[in-house]
Amino acid sequence: MRTSTRVAGVLAGLALTFTLGGALAAPAAQADIPACVQMAGQAGAGGSAGDAVTAACSRGVSGDLQGCVTGLTAAGVPGGAANGACRMAAHEPR
Protein backbone atom coordinates (compact mmCIF):
# COMPACT_ATOMS: atom_id res chain seq x y z
CA MET A 1 0.00 0.00 0.00
CA ARG A 2 1.38 3.39 -0.92
CA THR A 3 2.12 5.95 1.78
CA SER A 4 -0.18 8.57 0.24
CA THR A 5 -3.08 6.09 0.25
CA ARG A 6 -2.41 5.22 3.87
CA VAL A 7 -2.26 8.89 4.90
CA ALA A 8 -5.52 9.61 3.06
CA GLY A 9 -7.18 6.66 4.84
CA VAL A 10 -5.98 7.81 8.25
CA LEU A 11 -7.16 11.37 7.62
CA ALA A 12 -10.57 10.14 6.46
CA GLY A 13 -10.86 7.98 9.57
CA LEU A 14 -9.96 10.90 11.83
CA ALA A 15 -12.47 13.16 10.11
CA LEU A 16 -15.19 10.54 10.54
CA THR A 17 -14.29 10.06 14.19
CA PHE A 18 -14.48 13.78 14.93
CA THR A 19 -17.74 14.14 13.03
CA LEU A 20 -19.46 11.28 14.82
CA GLY A 21 -17.98 12.22 18.16
CA GLY A 22 -19.32 15.76 17.79
CA ALA A 23 -22.76 14.48 16.91
CA LEU A 24 -22.82 12.22 19.94
CA ALA A 25 -21.54 14.90 22.29
CA ALA A 26 -23.95 17.58 21.05
CA PRO A 27 -26.57 18.61 23.60
CA ALA A 28 -30.13 17.45 23.13
CA ALA A 29 -32.49 19.88 21.48
CA GLN A 30 -34.51 22.04 23.81
CA ALA A 31 -38.21 21.46 24.11
CA ASP A 32 -40.53 23.94 22.48
CA ILE A 33 -41.58 26.30 25.27
CA PRO A 34 -42.14 29.28 22.92
CA ALA A 35 -44.61 27.26 20.82
CA CYS A 36 -46.46 26.20 23.97
CA VAL A 37 -46.66 29.81 25.18
CA GLN A 38 -47.84 31.00 21.76
CA MET A 39 -50.52 28.32 21.54
CA ALA A 40 -51.74 29.14 25.03
CA GLY A 41 -51.86 32.83 24.14
CA GLN A 42 -53.90 32.18 21.01
CA ALA A 43 -56.30 30.03 23.01
CA GLY A 44 -57.16 32.73 25.48
CA ALA A 45 -54.50 33.34 28.14
CA GLY A 46 -54.37 37.08 28.69
CA GLY A 47 -51.25 39.24 28.84
CA SER A 48 -51.21 39.30 32.65
CA ALA A 49 -50.96 35.51 32.70
CA GLY A 50 -47.62 35.48 30.82
CA ASP A 51 -45.44 34.32 33.73
CA ALA A 52 -47.95 31.66 34.78
CA VAL A 53 -48.17 30.36 31.20
CA THR A 54 -44.39 30.18 30.85
CA ALA A 55 -44.09 28.38 34.19
CA ALA A 56 -46.80 25.90 33.19
CA CYS A 57 -45.13 25.25 29.82
CA SER A 58 -41.85 24.66 31.64
CA ARG A 59 -43.57 21.92 33.64
CA GLY A 60 -44.63 20.33 30.37
CA VAL A 61 -41.00 20.27 29.25
CA SER A 62 -40.00 18.27 32.30
CA GLY A 63 -42.70 15.70 31.59
CA ASP A 64 -45.27 16.91 34.11
CA LEU A 65 -48.13 17.15 31.61
CA GLN A 66 -50.84 17.20 34.29
CA GLY A 67 -49.11 20.05 36.13
CA CYS A 68 -48.73 21.92 32.85
CA VAL A 69 -52.40 21.51 31.94
CA THR A 70 -53.48 22.52 35.45
CA GLY A 71 -51.31 25.64 35.29
CA LEU A 72 -52.56 26.65 31.87
CA THR A 73 -56.23 26.14 32.74
CA ALA A 74 -55.70 28.22 35.90
CA ALA A 75 -54.28 30.94 33.61
CA GLY A 76 -57.47 30.90 31.52
CA VAL A 77 -56.57 28.50 28.71
CA PRO A 78 -59.42 26.10 27.79
CA GLY A 79 -58.75 22.42 28.63
CA GLY A 80 -58.28 21.07 25.09
CA ALA A 81 -55.95 23.89 24.08
CA ALA A 82 -54.01 23.52 27.35
CA ASN A 83 -53.53 19.83 26.68
CA GLY A 84 -52.30 20.50 23.14
CA ALA A 85 -49.95 23.26 24.25
CA CYS A 86 -48.45 21.05 26.97
CA ARG A 87 -47.89 18.22 24.51
CA MET A 88 -46.24 20.70 22.18
CA ALA A 89 -43.93 21.83 24.99
CA ALA A 90 -42.54 18.33 25.31
CA HIS A 91 -41.48 18.14 21.64
CA GLU A 92 -38.37 19.50 19.96
CA PRO A 93 -38.73 22.88 18.25
CA ARG A 94 -39.20 22.88 14.49
Side-chain angles (χ1 to χ4, degrees):
M1 186 176 223
R2 295 179 57 194
T3 304
S4 61
T5 306
R6 245 185 256 160
V7 169
V10 168
L11 290 176
L14 286 173
L16 183 61
T17 300
F18 287 125
T19 302
L20 290 177
L24 294 175
Q30 296 295 314
D32 207 349
I33 293 174
C36 173
V37 170
Q38 181 181 10
M39 183 180 237
Q42 290 174 348
S48 62
D51 291 337
V53 168
T54 302
C57 287
S58 296
R59 279 185 239 133
V61 169
S62 66
D64 181 11
L65 291 179
Q66 186 58 45
C68 176
V69 171
T70 301
L72 288 180
T73 53
V77 179
N83 191 14
C86 290
R87 290 190 184 280
M88 186 175 287
H91 289 91
E92 294 179 7
R94 295 178 188 225

